[in-house]
Amino acid sequence: MSKVIGITGGIGSGKSTVSRILSEKLNAPILDADKIAKEAVNSPEIILKIKKFFGESIFDNPQIINREKLSDIVFSNENKLLELNKIIHPYVIEEIEKKVNELKQDNEYIILDVPLPNESFINLSDKIIVVVANEETRIKRVMTRSNLSEESVKKRIEKQMPVENYIKLADFLIKNNSSMVDLVEKINEICEKI
Ligand code: ATP
């Protein structure tokens, strides 16, 4: 029986890093919800829905959405973010469920990397690893990785679920405030118990 290891945590906590390391250790494929959500905007049915709600102005051409314009809109308007999520989330959930079932055919472990845990994520995951880090570290990491300002990163953090709600879901909790060496050690410990 294959096992699904769900990994979640807020922006910049290090969940993708944990997923990558764990994937190598367990020889497991990664399903990345962010990546699937990004691919969603290439799907004709999603493009149509986004155009209907957000209008032509966020399109570079009839089929290509300007992601930056879309992000700017949704991260400064709560209702628009909710609306975008209503369009994208069902697609992402369906894709993940489909892919998990396919991957179960020939993998002992599957890693599911999800920034916003929902019912489907909880049901699919046999074990959940929650990755947390203090806010200052998260902001620094995201700013180094992207060209976002401190204020934009803070805004994105505020939009996410409070950290206590992530922690409630954890079978294993990783506090990722220190070095990569320390992180790998923590992952090794979890691997022994999984
Ligand atoms: P997001 O939700 O934005 O995708 P994430 O939680 O997946 O973020 P990562 O992409 O794994 O976070 O990590 C953010 C950045 O911090 C990356 O550049 C990563 O290399 C770096 N990082 C993560 N953990 C550590 C660590 N323990 N030491 C140093 N750098 C780290």
Side-chain angles (χ1 to χ4, degrees):
M1 266 284 275
S2 44
K3 266 189 180 173
V4 177
I5 314 297
I7 300 185
T8 190
I11 178 171
S13 59
K15 59 191 170 305
S16 303
T17 307
V18 171
S19 296
R20 248 189 338 267
I21 298 169
L22 203 58
S23 153
E24 280 169 25
K25 292 201 178 297
L26 299 175
N27 190 23
I30 303 174
L31 278 176
D32 179 341
D34 261 351
K35 213 161 128 194
I36 295 172
K38 280 186 185 143
E39 287 163 9
V41 297
N42 299 326
S43 139
E45 69 178 275
I46 301 283
I47 287 176
L48 210 65
K49 287 182 183 167
I50 289 181
K51 198 173 284 180
K52 215 166 154 190
F53 187 81
F54 291 93
E56 305 272 349
S57 65
I58 59 146
F59 281 75
D60 284 338
N61 76 41
Q63 296 308 313
I64 310 278
I65 293 168
N66 184 318
R67 288 170 197 277
E68 223 157 274
K69 281 188 189 164
L70 183 59
S71 298
D72 283 348
I73 293 173
V74 297
F75 284 114
S76 53
N77 183 320
E78 185 99 21
N79 286 333
K80 290 189 176 169
L81 178 62
L82 286 175
E83 201 55 42
L84 180 66
N85 287 343
K86 258 199 258 167
I87 296 171
I88 304 266
H89 283 173
Y91 173 93
V92 176
I93 291 170
E94 203 177 302
E95 280 295 301
I96 288 178
E97 288 176 353
K98 200 169 76 192
K99 288 184 175 165
V100 163
N101 282 324
E102 280 166 18
L103 289 168
K104 274 188 170 177
Q105 308 296 318
D106 37 31
N107 290 282
E108 192 177 348
Y109 293 100
I110 297 149
I111 293 171
L112 190 51
D113 177 343
V114 169
L116 290 173
N118 55 21
E119 279 302 306
S120 165
F121 169 81
I122 295 165
N123 291 336
L124 285 172
S125 302
D126 294 291
K127 293 287 175 199
I128 294 180
I129 300 176
V130 173
V131 188
V132 296
N134 59 47
E135 191 167 311
E136 207 185 297
T137 309
R138 292 166 69 193
I139 293 170
K140 265 197 218 138
R141 282 181 187 154
V142 178
M143 284 175 70
T144 312
R145 192 191 54 188
S146 62
N147 54 7
L148 291 171
S149 67
E150 182 171 347
E151 201 189 328
S152 318
V153 182
K154 278 188 179 160
K155 250 191 210 168
R156 280 164 165 76
I157 290 178
E158 278 165 24
K159 293 276 179 288
Q160 293 192 315
M161 220 165 73
V163 69
E164 309 79 65
N165 293 8
Y166 281 100
I167 293 174
K168 275 186 211 150
L169 302 172
D171 293 301
F172 301 101
L173 180 67
I174 296 181
K175 292 183 181 163
N176 181 25
N177 294 309
S178 173
S179 64
M180 286 297 290
V181 175
D182 181 58
L183 180 62
V184 171
E185 209 170 282
K186 285 175 172 156
I187 295 171
N188 283 340
E189 277 169 29
I190 292 174
C191 273
E192 311 232 318
K193 298 179 196 151
I194 255 171

